[in-house]
């Protein structure tokens, strides 16, 4: 045999697998088809890499879309606290942010990738770069090695397939693993995206009116049949040139997909002030306006929202931002306050 273990793929899973095998004194080969290791990892978490989450395992499983319970056995062997320890041992100190999210103190996803690559090199793992694997080889029902795209064969007692899924294929994950799994006799279920940004053809999105506006601690809901709330996530989000992104949007994306299987569009609802009732929001708006009766509405309400968003919502409520408070009817103020609690827009998938 050429190696004890061959790892296919140099993303975080492959790097981690190679390190673990080499720590157990195995002779390891890692084969990566791209020119760099950890390309997707470097992009992750907006370039900061949300390494793991410190909430209790039950809580994490509750947030996994679909059947999260299948993760119990994996977590039993290696859970979020083990990940934190793993990176601390590599010299990557982590810090906790909102909702238990753990990031490197360096705020750099690259530092996470670099630490893993350095450890792998120190352990003497052989690495082939720019080397696509064509197939996994079997003999008498047992794995025997791999065939590279150029026809070379490398033998091993174990092969670990860590080639990622299908998202962001420019980072190397082009779905080769599904073929490897099918060759091994597995059935592939229908594939769908999750934890992805969501696109919208709403005119305010296509005209990029709110592009770049980021919102802290808002409630984003996915609406299903008869406008029933399917799920709500209270986190940060951002309006982009194609739709919405940020933690709240990513968490909602799986549920958007579920609804889209039954209908062409999915409606979403944004609550900008989730801690206040509709009545309280309206009271606060009126109070701001009454405290500043001579100011133009857009200035009187400036403490409430970022200017672009404020102007957008005033226009939606048909309120002239240059007017003074009393020049607009109470009905319009009611409509404006309602928008702050319930801004509805439709979405489709990110192609
Ligand atoms: C924008 C973005 C932000 C994200 N943010 C986070 C985050 O903050 N926190 C988080 O936990 N997750 C995040 N993720 C998800 C995370 O990046 C992935 O879950 C993770 O990269 C998967 O790791 P992997 O090793 O399984 O696969 P990948 O990272 O996709 O790596 C697979 C590797 O296998 C190689 N490969 C593929 N086919 C072959 C072949 N035939 N032969 C040889 N090599 C092959 C590829 O070139 C690639 O290098 C984010 C993803 C994206 C796109």
């Amino acid at each position: 045999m050429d190696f004890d273990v061959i790892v296919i793929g140099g993303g975080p899973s492959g790097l981690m697998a190679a390190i673990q095998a080499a720590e157990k004194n195995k002779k390891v080969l890692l084969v990566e088809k791209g020119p760099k290791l950890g390309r997707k990892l470097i992009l992750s978490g907006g370039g900061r890499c949300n390494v793991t989450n410190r909430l209790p395992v039950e809580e994490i499983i509750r947030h996994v879309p679909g059947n999260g319970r299948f993760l119990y056995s994996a977590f039993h062997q290696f859970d979020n606290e083990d990940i934190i320890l793993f990176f601390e041992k590599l010299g990557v100190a982590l810090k906790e942010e909102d909702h238990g999210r753990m990031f490197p103190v360096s705020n750099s996803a690259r530092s996470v990738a670099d630490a893993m690559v350095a450890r792998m090199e120190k352990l003497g793992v052989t690495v082939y770069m720019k080397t696509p694997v064509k197939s996994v080889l079997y003999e008498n029902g047992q794995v025997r090695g791999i065939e590279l795209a150029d026809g070379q064969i490398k033998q091993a007692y174990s092969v670990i397939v860590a080639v990622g899924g299908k998202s962001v294929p420019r980072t190397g994950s082009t779905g080769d693993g599904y073929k490897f799994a099918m060759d091994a006799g597995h059935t592939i279920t229908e594939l769908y995206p999750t934890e992805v940004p969501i696109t919208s053809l709403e005119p305010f999105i296509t005209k990029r009116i709110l592009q770049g506006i980021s919102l802290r601690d808002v409630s984003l809901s996915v609406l299903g049949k008869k406008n029933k709330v399917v799920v709500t996530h209270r986190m940060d989000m951002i309006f982009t040139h194609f739709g919405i992104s940020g933690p709240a949007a990513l968490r909602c994306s799986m549920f958007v997909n579920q609804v889209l299987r039954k209908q062409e569009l999915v409606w979403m609802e944004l609550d900008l002030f989730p801690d206040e009732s509709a009545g309280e929001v309206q009271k606060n708006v009126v109070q701001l306006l009454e405290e500043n009766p001579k100011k133009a509405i857009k200035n009187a309400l400036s403490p409430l929202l970022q200017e672009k968003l404020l102007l957008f919502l005033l226009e939606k409520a048909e309120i002239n931002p240059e007017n003074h408070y009393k020049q607009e009817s109470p009905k319009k103020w009611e409509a404006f306050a309602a928008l702050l609690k319930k801004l509805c827009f439709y979405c489709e998938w990110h192609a």
Side-chain angles (χ1 to χ4, degrees), residues 124-315:
V125 172
T126 306
V127 178
Y128 293 173
M129 297 300 298
K130 297 186 189 168
T131 310
V133 172
K134 190 171 150 203
S135 56
V136 180
L137 303 174
Y138 302 90
E139 203 179 283
N140 301 325
Q142 290 226 314
V143 75
R144 273 294 164 261
I146 55 170
E147 183 181 354
L148 305 179
D150 65 6
Q152 274 190 71
I153 303 233
K154 295 288 161 193
Q155 293 182 323
Y157 293 107
S158 306
V159 173
I160 299 175
V161 177
V163 294
K166 275 188 119 167
S167 71
V168 200
R170 70 184 155 89
T171 61
S173 50
T174 47
D176 301 14
Y178 304 114
K179 181 192 167 289
F180 296 160
M182 277 195 286
D183 290 348
H186 291 287
T187 307
I188 307 300
T189 56
E190 188 192 346
L191 301 174
Y192 51 81
T194 183
E195 296 289 310
V196 287
I198 299 166
T199 52
S200 170
L201 291 176
E202 278 273 10
F204 79 83
I205 296 287
T206 53
K207 289 182 192 155
R208 303 184 175 200
I209 290 171
L210 299 182
Q211 180 182 349
I213 292 207
S214 53
L215 303 168
R216 288 199 69 81
D217 198 21
V218 290
S219 273
L220 185 67
S221 301
V222 180
L223 306 184
K225 226 174 164 185
K226 295 184 184 163
N227 286 342
K228 229 177 119 193
V229 172
V230 176
V231 74
T232 299
H233 281 289
R234 186 168 167 178
M235 296 183 107
D236 301 345
M237 66 160 265
I238 182 165
F239 288 103
T240 65
H241 61 285
F242 55 75
I244 53 172
S245 191
L250 299 187
R251 291 299 116 79
C252 283
S253 62
M254 158 83 181
F255 300 92
V256 169
N257 177 67
Q258 279 176 358
V259 177
L260 278 177
R261 288 177 191 193
K262 297 177 202 133
Q263 55 196 56
E264 279 183 13
L265 291 177
V266 58
W267 284 91
M268 304 201 71
E269 195 176 279
L270 177 63
D271 181 350
L272 292 161
F273 296 96
D275 282 330
E276 295 164 33
S277 68
E280 283 168 335
V281 169
Q282 194 170 345
K283 213 172 114 194
N284 291 343
V285 169
V286 171
Q287 194 180 335
L288 272 174
L289 292 162
E290 282 178 343
E291 280 168 6
N292 302 285
K294 291 199 176 129
K295 274 191 181 173
I297 287 163
K298 67 172 187 192
N299 296 331
L301 292 182
S302 63
L304 207 59
L305 294 168
Q306 296 169 55
E307 190 180 11
K308 267 204 280 187
L309 182 56
L310 176 63
L311 293 177
F312 170 71
L313 294 175
L314 286 171
E315 192 186 335

Side-chain angles (χ1 to χ4, degrees), residues 323-341:
N323 276 351
H324 297 156
Y325 162 46
K326 290 287 180 194
Q327 288 173 279
E328 300 288 352
S329 71
K331 264 209 153 358
K332 285 189 181 173
W333 288 118
E334 232 173 80
F336 175 73
L339 282 171
L340 297 177
K341 287 295 289 176

Side-chain angles (χ1 to χ4, degrees), residues 8-14 31-34 39-41 43-45 49-51 131-133 162-165 167-168 171-174 176 180:
I8 315 175
S13 313
V31 190
E32 165 57 47
K33 77 169 166 190
R39 274 182 297 170
K40 194 180 288 172
L41 168 60
L43 299 178
S44 69
C49 184
N50 179 189
V51 175
T131 310
V133 172
V163 294
S167 71
V168 200
T171 61
S173 50
T174 47
D176 301 14
F180 296 160

